[in-house]
Amino acid sequence: MSSFKEVSATEINEVMERSLIAFQEYKRISSDDKALFLETIATEIEALGDALIEQASSETNLPAARLVGERGRTTGQLRMFANMLREGSWVEASIDTAIPDKNPPKPDIRKLLIALGPVVVFGASNFPFAYSTAGGDTASALAAGCSVVVKAHPAHAATSQMVYEAIQKAIAKTKMPPYIFQHVHGSSFESGKALVQHEATAAVGFTGSFTGGKALYDYAAARKNPIPVFSEMGSINPVLLLPDSLEKNAVSLAKQYAASITLGMGQFCTNPGLLIAVESEGLNAFIEALSNEIEKTIPANMLHAGIHAAYNKKMQDALTEKGVALIKQSSNKTENLQALPTIAKVSGEIFLQNSVLHEEVFGPYSLLVVCKSMDELIEVWRSARGQLTTSLMGTDKDFADHPALLQTAESIAGRIVFNNVPTGVEVCPSMVHGGPFPASTDSRFTAVGIHAVKRWVRPVCYQNCPQQLLPVELQNDNPKKIWRLLNNEWTRDIIK
Amino acid sequence: MSSFKEVSATEINEVMERSLIAFQEYKRISSDDKALFLETIATEIEALGDALIEQASSETNLPAARLVGERGRTTGQLRMFANMLREGSWVEASIDTAIPDKNPPKPDIRKLLIALGPVVVFGASNFPFAYSTAGGDTASALAAGCSVVVKAHPAHAATSQMVYEAIQKAIAKTKMPPYIFQHVHGSSFESGKALVQHEATAAVGFTGSFTGGKALYDYAAARKNPIPVFSEMGSINPVLLLPDSLEKNAVSLAKQYAASITLGMGQFCTNPGLLIAVESEGLNAFIEALSNEIEKTIPANMLHAGIHAAYNKKMQDALTEKGVALIKQSSNKTENLQALPTIAKVSGEIFLQNSVLHEEVFGPYSLLVVCKSMDELIEVWRSARGQLTTSLMGTDKDFADHPALLQTAESIAGRIVFNNVPTGVEVCPSMVHGGPFPASTDSRFTAVGIHAVKRWVRPVCYQNCPQQLLPVELQNDNPKKIWRLLNNEWTRDIIK
């Protein structure tokens, strides 16, 4: 899809070697200077103005308003990490002072988080800004102190190139190591493999399909020295429609979910692809209202021809699976790369027997699983393990009647949504965007929010280190006044 | 070596299924009750009295005094994690309150760490208590809220069985789920593979050889759903003997390191197996003093026949490598399973050419690499990547003359020791026991100290969750008065 030349093996080697050298130089740059660098990237992206929005819209078919919002999210993330660096407590400094008269003497031990090394980032097709070139993975890795190499997504390679050039300006303006951020083009698995398996590569971030994310994980695990891979992959985001809520709120639930299912033509990893409910009058009312909403939806173009073709194939295949019945599609005609919003249903019994129905259909498609009982609903829900989110639409009565729901939700997903839709990932410290495999390859981390930085760091400790050699965050006088765990108590105090 | 029957595939399946059920029950038990459980394990281990020490000594050849110390470390760790649970802040609670009038409205989002699920622990032969049945992996996993299955080390299976029975008593006394801790015997790779690859297994802890730890990592990565493995493996713990320090402190350095090299017959993963220095008069004095010390050492029995045979073979093989010269061995005769403390030397040039010399010789062996220059010393040091520790023996002048040493040290090891020996791992929050591969399979975590708990947890967030359903740590009134990140500020306040 891209007019850019595929990166060669020789170039990858050069890029990664330069990245390692830049990483070592970047280590000597202060947190405040790194913060300024991140802010300058944000400013330079903004300085691209409408040209960037137009380029992205022409490559992704996403409307300008959506892209303006996503650009704001992207620059907001960069500034959020800049603030995190200026404040400084993110390094999780911990100090245990010496006890010389203990037997044996207890040494002075001090710990903090340091950067892993060069990080390779593979961006997402559905977020050309926020999960791509200068997106969350890049921003968090640069904040952590890592150098970054982005493989431009071939579906929006020219957009990626523009953002890369903005970052280059920021590098020059803030006097950062020239190769602290590099950018390569390519669409082959071989390029991905070579980037992941290069000796200098220390960690990998990926957002996209299960096939791509799992392949990178496998390449990394097969290295002589395995490295961490955080792949954020597909998810069907099961939604429980609980009985009392269906009885009381059928129409409003239907409106809320019709909007979520079709938002951005369903091209979100948090799209609600699976609705689960027990048969009831309330459910019938919900189905009727949801049908009315879906019927009225206006199809829009999908991101690119590959995603459009995959949606049509997977959606149509799903509808031909035994026991699956179409509920409703948009009554509007489609043309070009437009997707047809579609809802279907199946019984709980058949869903449990057919694992094909558990797979993501990336696009505005959702499958309603109609269960005979709450027990079957729980069984259906539990069978869909490894999700970014799961949502519980219920009244106080529903939650009182079924007190064990939360424990199951925790075992399934990284984020549990109550009486809300899973689409819309708030960028804040408490956000978890990740989850048990296959939602991600490492459920111990989040891809969104300041704690996304933790994917790219490791702790190191200093035993009996002279004051003048210690990182500034661990020095007695705590010049940045950061929070530190001092002899197992949190404090911002200095050490006398 | 063990008289216990190898666990069968059927038994492994039963054990893991019971472990999953116990994990789910354990989730509903309060932190305070879990704390009492850990303390009761400590009490029950102490109640085994001398019988436990005698059994362990007969299986491991370790002297009683050492085992009494290690038992204290083990019960101390259990109580440390109990205290952590009672205090409560370890869950890293984070709360972002709602902003309803934002566009779009910002939901209420709250996050904390929850347990991964059943953890399989493979203990170490060289620490029959502290890194075995009720050791750091088990204590941290139980504290995290995980169920635990230990595969007893075949070299001290009867000791392991005794500790298991003590834990069973603690389970009964504190009314824990009966299968929250289980214990199997076995020595085959097949048993290890079946445990790691069982569907119910959520994570793995291992302490031991590279071969064993890497095999478990590979089994886990090959699962349909990969799981985290924390293997703490071998390390040669490079020590820099810097010029000015050698000139001023040759004899005291030699005494300090002779003791560290031979401590516990070198059977520690933090044993200093590699000394690196630039040729000088000071180094000659160091060599002479170290020789005198090593010559006087009294050989003692190693842990078991396998380790003894491996030591003799690897040590003798190392001495026959081209360019390696024996400096000194203990002048005492050895018998039974006694090891002969040995030091050898090689030039920097030859060390850099022969990767065999970079391998761990588990036992009281250390190789001195004699370099032509500081540049060569740095090159030799950097070639030994992926270490638990690295030590810098230097004066203020040394550190002023060579300001870039710390950055290199950080890239090599999890713990950087200044003017001290690497043996002796202090159990405290600031300790890092881990490091870049192959020191461990995941450098982002430590195996020692309270933060070892982070290996077994993942974050989960709750969006717009009703107060009464939230985990106690996330409720507005903060009943445990824990530290929480509230709208990105650390506080122990309640939310009004």
Side-chain angles (χ1 to χ4, degrees):
Chain A
M1 289 171 254
S2 150
S3 62
F4 294 91
K5 197 164 147 278
E6 179 94 15
V7 65
S8 72
T10 309
E11 285 162 344
I12 286 173
N13 188 47
E14 287 166 3
V15 162
M16 292 315 308
E17 285 182 0
R18 288 195 299 248
S19 190
L20 183 59
I21 292 166
F23 163 66
Q24 286 153 352
E25 292 170 14
Y26 194 53
K27 275 193 132 181
R28 291 189 286 269
I29 291 170
S30 74
S31 289
D32 285 359
D33 287 348
K34 285 175 182 148
L36 182 64
F37 172 42
L38 294 178
E39 287 163 344
T40 308
I41 295 174
T43 312
E44 291 297 330
I45 288 171
E46 285 161 351
L48 293 171
D50 291 347
L52 179 66
I53 301 297
E54 284 157 20
Q55 180 60 50
S57 191
S58 79
E59 284 185 302
T60 65
N61 295 317
L62 292 170
R66 145 74 197 267
L67 289 167
V68 168
E70 190 186 326
R71 181 180 59 189
R73 181 190 182 98
T74 307
T75 53
Q77 287 179 156
L78 287 157
R79 293 183 173 112
M80 172 186 80
F81 283 111
N83 291 338
M84 182 194 82
L85 288 176
R86 286 222 170 80
E87 194 280 329
S89 301
W90 74 276
V91 297
E92 297 180 7
S94 176
I95 298 175
D96 288 276
T97 51
I99 309 179
D101 53 0
K102 206 181 146 191
N103 183 17
K106 181 177 178 174
D108 181 289
I109 301 184
R110 304 181 185 218
K111 165 170 89 170
L112 88 175
L113 298 173
I114 65 167
L116 288 176
V119 172
V120 174
V121 172
F122 298 83
S125 66
N126 59 338
F127 278 92
F129 303 144
Y131 292 84
S132 282
T133 321
D137 286 355
T138 294
S140 58
L142 289 174
C146 296
S147 53
V148 172
V149 175
V150 163
K151 195 180 81 55
H153 198 290
H156 51 75
T159 303
S160 193
Q161 185 72 23
M162 287 179 78
V163 174
Y164 163 68
E165 285 160 14
I167 300 174
Q168 291 307 109
K169 285 189 184 165
I171 288 172
K173 283 193 180 169
T174 59
K175 302 190 172 55
M176 290 291 136
Y179 298 112
I180 192 65
F181 179 87
Q182 296 176 91
H183 187 243
V184 300
H185 290 277
S187 55
S188 75
F189 269 62
E190 285 67 32
S191 299
K193 183 177 180 181
L195 286 162
V196 171
Q197 294 196 332
H198 193 279
E199 193 184 358
T201 305
V204 177
F206 169 89
T207 309
S209 70
F210 175 79
T211 309
K214 181 62 163 55
L216 298 183
Y217 174 88
D218 290 340
Y219 296 150
R223 286 170 61 112
K224 196 177 150 197
N225 60 333
I227 56 172
V229 173
F230 190 88
S231 289
E232 191 264 272
M233 305 182 287
S235 194
I236 54 172
N237 303 294
V239 177
L240 297 198
L241 304 165
L242 293 167
D244 192 51
S245 188
L246 277 175
E247 190 179 325
K248 290 178 176 141
N249 315 314
V251 173
S252 65
L253 283 174
K255 291 191 179 199
Q256 199 174 11
Y257 270 87
S260 180
I261 291 164
T262 58
L263 186 72
M265 281 295 104
Q267 297 169 111
F268 293 115
C269 47
T270 54
N271 183 253
L274 192 69
L275 312 175
I276 316 172
V278 177
E279 53 189 12
S280 70
E281 282 306 308
L283 180 60
N284 294 341
F286 171 84
I287 292 172
E288 190 184 334
L290 185 65
S291 299
N292 291 340
E293 294 296 321
I294 293 295
E295 191 170 19
K296 289 186 288 187
T297 53
I298 311 293
N301 283 330
M302 295 191 80
L303 290 158
H304 58 74
I307 280 188
H308 179 252
Y311 173 66
N312 280 340
K313 178 164 191 334
K314 285 202 111 180
M315 182 263 285
Q316 279 155 14
D317 284 355
L319 293 176
T320 60
E321 288 290 327
K322 182 180 159 241
V324 174
L326 177 69
I327 297 178
K328 190 65 77 177
Q329 289 186 312
S330 168
S331 62
N332 290 288
K333 288 274 178 296
T334 56
E335 55 183 18
N336 300 323
L337 299 183
Q338 288 173 350
L340 205 57
T342 304
I343 49 170
K345 68 178 175 180
V346 71
S347 72
E349 192 183 351
I350 288 178
F351 181 84
L352 288 168
Q353 289 162 6
N354 186 353
S355 65
V356 170
L357 301 176
H358 300 216
E359 285 172 17
E360 186 178 16
V361 177
F362 191 77
Y365 172 83
S366 195
L367 178 65
L368 172 67
V369 184
V370 180
C371 300
K372 294 267 177 219
S373 64
M374 276 300 290
D375 283 350
E376 191 178 72
L377 173 145
I378 302 288
E379 206 184 339
V380 164
W381 189 32
R382 290 177 66 95
S383 74
R385 294 180 79 85
Q387 302 288 339
L388 292 170
T389 76
T390 192
S391 301
L392 290 81
M393 309 304 287
T395 62
D396 286 350
K397 180 176 184 308
D398 283 318
F399 297 128
D401 288 350
H402 308 289
L405 291 175
L406 193 64
Q407 187 168 333
T408 301
E410 288 169 347
S411 72
I412 288 174
R415 178 162 56 107
I416 306 166
V417 179
F418 292 80
N419 293 315
N420 208 324
V421 294
T423 43
V425 180
E426 188 69 33
V427 180
C428 66
S430 306
M431 175 51 64
V432 177
H433 192 64
F437 189 92
S440 82
T441 48
D442 196 337
S443 69
R444 294 173 298 176
F445 299 93
T446 173
V448 170
I450 52 171
H451 298 139
V453 75
K454 295 191 187 180
R455 296 174 295 170
W456 321 122
V457 291
R458 64 180 175 89
V460 65
C461 82
Y462 308 81
Q463 181 168 328
N464 288 349
C465 183
Q467 277 294 309
Q468 73 277 14
L469 297 182
L470 279 169
V472 64
E473 294 90 344
L474 294 179
Q475 291 172 6
N476 282 348
D477 54 1
N478 194 10
K480 287 182 75 88
K481 297 289 168 290
I482 61 171
W483 286 101
R484 310 192 289 192
L485 194 63
L486 175 59
N487 296 319
N488 210 17
E489 298 281 346
W490 285 106
T491 175
R492 299 169 73 173
D493 287 352
I494 64 166
I495 300 169
K496 281 167 192 143
Chain B
M1 289 170 255
S2 150
S3 62
F4 295 90
K5 197 165 146 279
E6 179 93 15
V7 64
S8 71
T10 310
E11 286 162 342
I12 286 174
N13 189 46
E14 287 165 3
V15 162
M16 292 315 307
E17 285 183 357
R18 288 195 299 247
S19 190
L20 183 58
I21 293 167
F23 163 65
Q24 287 153 353
E25 293 170 13
Y26 194 53
K27 275 192 132 179
R28 293 189 286 269
I29 290 171
S30 74
S31 289
D32 285 0
D33 286 349
K34 285 175 182 149
L36 182 63
F37 172 41
L38 294 178
E39 288 164 344
T40 308
I41 295 174
T43 312
E44 291 296 330
I45 289 171
E46 286 161 350
L48 292 171
D50 291 346
L52 179 67
I53 302 297
E54 284 157 19
Q55 179 61 49
S57 190
S58 79
E59 284 185 300
T60 64
N61 295 317
L62 291 169
R66 145 76 198 267
L67 288 168
V68 167
E70 190 186 326
R71 181 180 59 190
R73 181 189 182 99
T74 308
T75 54
Q77 287 179 158
L78 287 157
R79 292 184 174 112
M80 173 187 81
F81 283 111
N83 290 339
M84 183 194 83
L85 288 176
R86 286 223 170 79
E87 194 280 329
S89 300
W90 74 276
V91 298
E92 296 181 7
S94 175
I95 298 175
D96 288 277
T97 51
I99 308 179
D101 52 0
K102 204 179 148 193
N103 184 15
K106 181 175 179 176
D108 181 287
I109 301 185
R110 303 180 184 218
K111 165 168 90 169
L112 87 176
L113 299 173
I114 64 168
L116 288 176
V119 172
V120 173
V121 172
F122 297 83
S125 66
N126 59 340
F127 278 92
F129 304 143
Y131 291 83
S132 283
T133 322
D137 286 356
T138 294
S140 59
L142 289 174
C146 296
S147 53
V148 171
V149 174
V150 163
K151 195 178 81 55
H153 198 290
H156 52 75
T159 304
S160 194
Q161 186 72 23
M162 286 179 79
V163 174
Y164 163 67
E165 285 160 15
I167 300 175
Q168 290 308 107
K169 283 188 186 168
I171 288 173
K173 282 192 180 170
T174 58
K175 299 190 173 57
M176 290 291 137
Y179 298 112
I180 192 64
F181 179 87
Q182 296 176 89
H183 186 245
V184 300
H185 290 278
S187 55
S188 74
F189 270 61
E190 286 67 34
S191 299
K193 182 176 180 181
L195 286 162
V196 170
Q197 295 197 332
H198 193 279
E199 193 184 0
T201 305
V204 177
F206 168 90
T207 309
S209 70
F210 175 79
T211 310
K214 181 61 163 55
L216 298 183
Y217 175 87
D218 290 341
Y219 296 150
R223 287 170 59 114
K224 196 178 149 196
N225 59 332
I227 56 171
V229 173
F230 189 89
S231 289
E232 190 264 272
M233 304 183 288
S235 194
I236 56 172
N237 303 294
V239 178
L240 298 198
L241 305 165
L242 293 166
D244 192 51
S245 188
L246 277 175
E247 189 179 325
K248 290 178 177 143
N249 315 313
V251 174
S252 65
L253 283 174
K255 291 192 179 200
Q256 199 175 13
Y257 270 87
S260 180
I261 291 164
T262 58
L263 186 71
M265 281 296 104
Q267 298 169 109
F268 293 114
C269 45
T270 54
N271 184 254
L274 192 70
L275 312 175
I276 316 172
V278 178
E279 53 190 11
S280 70
E281 283 305 308
L283 180 59
N284 295 341
F286 170 82
I287 292 172
E288 189 184 334
L290 185 65
S291 299
N292 291 339
E293 294 297 319
I294 293 294
E295 192 171 19
K296 289 186 288 186
T297 53
I298 311 293
N301 283 329
M302 296 191 79
L303 289 157
H304 58 74
I307 281 188
H308 180 252
Y311 173 67
N312 279 340
K313 178 165 191 337
K314 286 203 111 178
M315 181 263 285
Q316 280 155 13
D317 284 355
L319 292 177
T320 60
E321 289 291 327
K322 181 182 160 238
V324 175
L326 177 69
I327 297 179
K328 191 62 79 177
Q329 289 185 312
S330 168
S331 62
N332 290 288
K333 288 274 178 296
T334 56
E335 54 181 20
N336 300 324
L337 300 183
Q338 289 173 349
L340 205 56
T342 303
I343 49 170
K345 68 176 176 181
V346 71
S347 71
E349 191 183 354
I350 289 180
F351 182 84
L352 287 168
Q353 289 162 6
N354 186 354
S355 65
V356 170
L357 301 175
H358 301 214
E359 286 172 17
E360 186 179 15
V361 177
F362 191 76
Y365 171 86
S366 196
L367 178 65
L368 172 67
V369 184
V370 181
C371 301
K372 294 264 176 223
S373 65
M374 273 302 290
D375 284 349
E376 191 178 73
L377 174 143
I378 302 285
E379 204 184 339
V380 164
W381 190 32
R382 290 176 65 96
S383 74
R385 294 180 79 85
Q387 302 288 340
L388 292 170
T389 76
T390 192
S391 301
L392 289 81
M393 309 305 289
T395 62
D396 286 349
K397 178 174 186 308
D398 284 317
F399 297 128
D401 288 349
H402 309 288
L405 291 175
L406 194 63
Q407 187 168 332
T408 301
E410 289 169 347
S411 73
I412 288 175
R415 177 161 59 106
I416 305 165
V417 179
F418 292 80
N419 293 316
N420 207 326
V421 293
T423 42
V425 180
E426 189 69 33
V427 181
C428 65
S430 306
M431 175 51 63
V432 177
H433 191 64
F437 190 91
S440 82
T441 48
D442 196 337
S443 69
R444 293 173 298 176
F445 299 92
T446 173
V448 170
I450 53 171
H451 298 140
V453 75
K454 295 192 187 178
R455 296 174 295 170
W456 321 122
V457 291
R458 64 183 175 89
V460 65
C461 83
Y462 307 81
Q463 181 168 329
N464 288 350
C465 182
Q467 277 294 309
Q468 74 277 13
L469 296 183
L470 280 168
V472 65
E473 293 90 344
L474 294 178
Q475 291 172 7
N476 283 349
D477 54 0
N478 193 9
K480 287 180 75 90
K481 298 288 168 289
I482 61 170
W483 286 101
R484 308 192 291 192
L485 194 63
L486 175 60
N487 296 318
N488 210 17
E489 298 282 347
W490 285 106
T491 173
R492 299 169 73 174
D493 288 352
I494 64 167
I495 300 169
K496 282 168 191 140

